[in-house]
Amino acid sequence: MFQHKMKRLFYILLLINYSLLAQVQFDAKVSKTSLGLNERIRIDFSMNADGDNFIPPNFESCGFKVVSGPSQMVSQSWINGRSTFNKAYSYTLMPMKKGSLMIKQASIEINGQNYKTTPLKITVTDAVDLPKDPNQEPTVRADDNLYLVADISKANPYVNEPITVVYKLYFSYNIGITNWRELNKPKYNDFWSQNIDIKQLVAEEGIFKGEKYRYVVLRKTVLYPQKSGKLEIEPLSLDIDCQVPSGRRNIWGQQQLVEDSKRVSAGSKIINVRALPESGKPDDYTGAVGNFDFKVTPSRTTLQNGESLELKVSISGKGNLKLFNLPKPIVPPALEMYDPEHKENVSTPLTGMNGSISDNYTIIPQYKGDYAIKPMRFTYFDLGTSSYKTITSSEIRINVLDGPGIASSNASPKGNAKAPVTVSKAFAYIKQKTNLTAIKSDDFLGSGLFYSLMGLPFLAIPLLILFRKRKEAIDGDLVGNKKKKSNLLAKKYLSEAKKQLANKELFYIALEKAMHNFLKAKLSIETSEMSKDKISAILLSRNADAATVSQFINLTENCEFARYAPSTSVSIQHDYERAVEIISNLEKQIT
């Protein structure tokens, strides 16, 4: 009897729990399931109970572009003593391709439970003729008043000659730009490239197709072609939202505006790159192109034994400073030369690289004497005269006033002469002392070493036990191990940035590259696919914390600006520590 009552009670509780769960609804509804490529749909994610942590699907990966949204609507009412609640997130979407597209699940947390919508299948057909309202029909079309142009400074440069690509968006006075998004970023295969930071977009006036237009410069890039032949610059494509005048007017007679959009592309560009001439090319030419000055400067030429000198090999001017190696000095064997410290002070404006680079060698003499460092040659291709030019440094004489014992006081090595042989080493092969060893040795069996080796395994047992317990304790610390692994991974990606802490520009270039490499490794996406919205959506869908994602995006965006903004070693160290913390947190959060 008791078991029968308990069984009934169990079913009643189960039924009550099921009814409570069934009360919560979270659905996705669309305005239509079939539409043309030029039409739009509205999707509503509605719920009958308030929730937190709403995560929409990644619409771009589903084949849709978000035109507007999310807009949020909340309604609550009381009818006959019963409360009703409804909340919805709404988006307006436009398809980006034809076919059978699937809008994936959205998720939300309600009363501690996680709810997901059902995926929706949408069929996208060819563009259709839309009904026209004469009052809403725009009198000006974006198609005829909006253009994206890529201005190339030179279409037939030499290899390693700088050219610039400036992307300008032209639009007539009849329309206004409200938003723009990059669909495809330009790719510069077989070019060394450097983007020029644009702090603020400024509208200017210009002539396009013989008429006055307004335009904004969206992107500036300096390119150095790395090989000859026909090289293609893949196009930049944008999705532009704009406002155009319609046939309707308000009560004051002013013409009303309607929303319009257009996808524009700068088109691919072909650059015919000329090879450097073979006629007159020196054998020691290493690829320098531009206009340069070459100097070899010693810090001193007279020194005592044990002292060192610095030999600075420097090149300054305008040209491809980061794309060739400096010549190396040849010194006599009696001068010990160490690997150089390379320094760069190069800026890259729109006209191309300019500044200086140098290699600083530390040289320590080993013997007394007068030595010669041979003249050094540097060859570059001068774009002004389209010919090769060679700069030769002067011979440098190094005078060492004293040193170790010299075989002959009257002769001192010069040039590449061999180092003198000292008297103390002349008869080194004659041994002046003997070491006698016994012919017969004691037996190993029964010796002290024998018994020591026998007892060593027993003495090692306690150490093995301690080692095993410590390893088990370390393995059991799952949180600590995961944190340690995350920190190691962060430092792995940021190792190059850490090496450049003393060089602000190189540090932020390496920091931005490290954060992109982390995303490529963890999310399997290419750098060309990385946009702010896409990165945020993917990280959030992989259960990354919203605050950490925001910190990651902000730090990535600040890298380019920080390269040119004033900063201190303290702020650079702070940004490095922030990057370690952010990547470590993402590694622990991403599933």
Side-chain angles (χ1 to χ4, degrees):
M1 184 70 178
F2 176 75
Q3 291 180 347
H4 181 66
K5 290 182 177 181
M6 290 299 296
K7 190 173 183 179
R8 289 184 59 192
L9 180 61
F10 171 76
Y11 282 121
I12 291 172
L13 292 175
L14 183 63
L15 182 62
I16 291 173
N17 184 52
Y18 177 77
S19 63
L20 290 174
L21 292 175
Q23 291 178 359
V24 177
Q25 294 181 345
F26 179 48
D27 300 313
K29 298 179 181 178
V30 291
S31 57
K32 59 178 73 174
T33 57
S34 179
L35 71 158
L37 187 61
N38 59 333
E39 292 185 291
R40 302 180 181 185
I41 62 169
R42 171 172 170 162
I43 183 168
D44 297 321
F45 299 97
S46 59
M47 63 209 76
N48 62 352
D50 200 4
D52 299 310
N53 301 325
F54 171 70
I55 301 176
N58 186 341
F59 293 112
E60 285 191 8
S61 66
C62 300
F64 290 90
K65 181 189 73 172
V66 177
V67 177
S68 64
S71 60
Q72 182 176 324
M73 297 174 291
V74 179
S75 63
Q76 191 169 8
S77 60
W78 290 85
I79 302 176
N80 297 329
R82 298 186 63 182
S83 172
T84 60
F85 176 88
N86 185 266
K87 181 178 180 181
Y89 294 95
S90 300
Y91 295 83
T92 300
L93 307 178
M94 184 172 74
M96 301 177 67
K97 59 183 178 180
K98 295 188 298 182
S100 181
L101 308 181
M102 186 71 68
I103 298 179
K104 298 179 182 178
Q105 296 174 312
S107 66
I108 198 169
E109 185 178 335
I110 302 176
N111 298 328
Q113 296 288 330
N114 192 39
Y115 294 86
K116 294 184 178 181
T117 60
T118 303
L120 299 175
K121 183 179 180 181
I122 308 296
T123 301
V124 181
T125 62
D126 291 328
V128 298
D129 292 331
L130 300 177
K132 298 180 180 179
D133 182 350
N135 294 323
Q136 294 293 335
E137 184 69 14
T139 58
V140 174
R141 287 287 183 182
D143 290 345
D144 303 323
N145 294 272
L146 196 59
Y147 302 93
L148 181 63
V149 176
D151 285 342
I152 309 293
S153 63
K154 194 170 186 178
N156 58 337
Y158 281 108
V159 172
N160 271 316
E161 179 181 359
I163 62 172
T164 58
V165 184
V166 179
Y167 295 92
K168 297 179 181 178
L169 180 64
Y170 285 92
F171 54 100
S172 71
Y173 287 87
N174 298 320
I175 66 176
I177 306 298
T178 58
N179 191 22
W180 60 277
R181 295 168 294 277
E182 287 189 358
L183 297 176
N184 294 308
K185 293 188 176 182
K187 295 180 181 179
Y188 309 112
N189 298 324
D190 299 315
F191 289 92
W192 183 94
S193 63
Q194 174 70 57
N195 289 327
I196 306 299
D197 188 33
I198 299 178
K199 297 292 191 299
Q200 185 177 2
L201 298 180
V202 179
E204 301 180 48
E205 292 185 350
I207 301 298
F208 182 71
K209 292 187 174 182
E211 298 181 5
K212 285 187 177 181
Y213 273 79
R214 290 176 295 168
Y215 72 91
V216 291
V217 176
L218 301 179
R219 183 190 289 263
K220 299 178 181 178
T221 306
V222 179
L223 303 177
Y224 284 83
Q226 297 301 290
K227 70 176 186 179
S228 60
K230 292 185 177 182
L231 304 185
E232 180 182 7
I233 299 177
E234 297 187 15
L236 169 66
S237 299
L238 303 177
D239 209 343
I240 309 292
D241 295 333
C242 57
Q243 291 180 330
V244 296
S246 69
R248 175 178 292 185
R249 297 181 179 271
N250 58 22
I251 58 176
W252 294 282
Q254 296 173 331
Q255 201 170 30
Q256 292 186 339
L257 301 178
V258 296
E259 299 291 332
D260 199 359
S261 64
K262 182 183 179 182
R263 292 176 182 175
V264 294
S265 173
S268 62
K269 301 293 182 180
I270 301 297
I271 307 298
N272 293 306
V273 182
R274 292 178 290 172
L276 297 177
E278 293 297 326
S279 175
K281 180 187 289 187
D283 294 335
D284 59 354
Y285 177 69
T286 59
V289 176
N291 191 353
F292 303 103
D293 187 22
F294 174 60
K295 292 182 179 179
V296 180
T297 310
S299 60
R300 60 171 78 178
T301 56
T302 302
L303 61 160
Q304 302 288 338
N305 178 40
E307 294 180 334
S308 64
L309 66 94
E310 299 292 329
L311 186 67
K312 182 178 181 181
V313 181
S314 63
I315 294 175
S316 60
K318 181 180 178 181
N320 59 334
L321 288 162
K322 295 183 178 181
L323 303 177
F324 61 85
N325 296 322
L326 283 80
K328 296 182 179 181
I330 299 176
V331 300
L335 300 180
E336 185 172 0
M337 183 173 68
Y338 294 87
D339 291 337
E341 178 187 5
H342 185 73
K343 293 183 179 180
E344 293 183 356
N345 183 20
V346 180
S347 60
T348 310
L350 200 59
T351 54
M353 284 186 269
N354 61 71
S356 63
I357 58 175
S358 63
D359 283 343
N360 293 333
Y361 294 86
T362 298
I363 298 177
I364 301 177
Q366 302 299 305
Y367 303 100
K368 175 183 176 181
D370 185 20
Y371 304 97
I373 298 178
K374 293 182 177 181
M376 298 175 60
R377 287 164 44 94
F378 170 67
T379 301
Y380 66 94
F381 183 77
D382 186 2
L383 294 171
T385 60
S386 297
S387 61
Y388 295 97
K389 292 186 177 180
T390 300
I391 303 175
T392 304
S393 66
S394 302
E395 181 182 76
I396 299 173
R397 307 292 302 188
I398 305 298
N399 184 21
V400 183
L401 299 179
D402 61 0
I406 304 299
S408 174
S409 59
N410 296 325
S412 59
K414 294 184 179 182
N416 286 327
K418 295 183 179 179
V421 180
T422 60
V423 176
S424 59
K425 295 182 179 180
F427 303 98
Y429 66 92
I430 301 178
K431 290 190 175 182
Q432 301 175 5
K433 293 183 180 180
T434 58
N435 295 320
L436 301 178
T437 57
I439 297 177
K440 184 178 181 181
S441 59
D442 297 333
D443 291 337
F444 173 71
L445 188 62
S447 65
L449 179 60
F450 171 78
Y451 289 111
S452 298
L453 294 176
M454 287 288 291
L456 187 61
F458 298 98
L459 294 175
I461 291 176
L463 296 176
L464 292 174
I465 295 174
L466 291 174
F467 174 77
R468 182 176 180 181
K469 288 184 176 181
R470 178 167 181 78
K471 186 175 184 304
E472 290 175 349
I474 294 174
D475 293 342
D477 184 11
L478 299 179
V479 175
N481 287 338
K482 190 170 184 180
K483 182 178 180 180
K484 185 185 297 183
K485 181 180 178 182
S486 299
N487 289 335
L488 289 175
L489 182 63
K491 291 178 180 179
K492 169 189 172 184
Y493 286 106
L494 296 168
S495 60
E496 181 60 29
K498 187 175 182 181
K499 296 177 183 178
Q500 303 294 345
L501 285 173
N503 190 317
K504 179 184 65 177
E505 183 176 353
L506 295 180
F507 167 77
Y508 283 106
I509 291 174
L511 181 62
E512 184 178 16
K513 184 177 180 181
M515 301 185 79
H516 283 180
N517 286 339
F518 171 78
L519 290 180
K520 290 168 67 177
K522 298 301 294 183
L523 306 181
S524 299
I525 61 175
E526 294 299 324
T527 304
S528 59
E529 301 174 349
M530 293 183 187
S531 65
K532 175 182 175 182
D533 295 336
K534 186 167 185 178
I535 292 173
S536 299
I538 295 178
L539 289 175
L540 291 173
S541 68
R542 298 281 294 274
N543 296 328
D545 183 68
T548 306
V549 174
S550 177
Q551 294 172 1
F552 184 93
I553 296 297
N554 290 338
L555 183 58
T556 304
E557 290 178 340
N558 290 339
C559 280
E560 184 71 19
F561 174 75
R563 287 163 53 190
Y564 305 99
S567 62
T568 64
S569 59
V570 176
S571 61
I572 291 176
Q573 181 66 34
H574 176 68
D575 286 343
Y576 172 76
E577 293 172 355
R578 279 182 60 205
V580 172
E581 180 183 1
I582 291 171
I583 292 181
S584 178
N585 290 338
L586 286 176
E587 172 63 20
K588 291 183 285 186
Q589 295 167 8
I590 292 175
T591 59

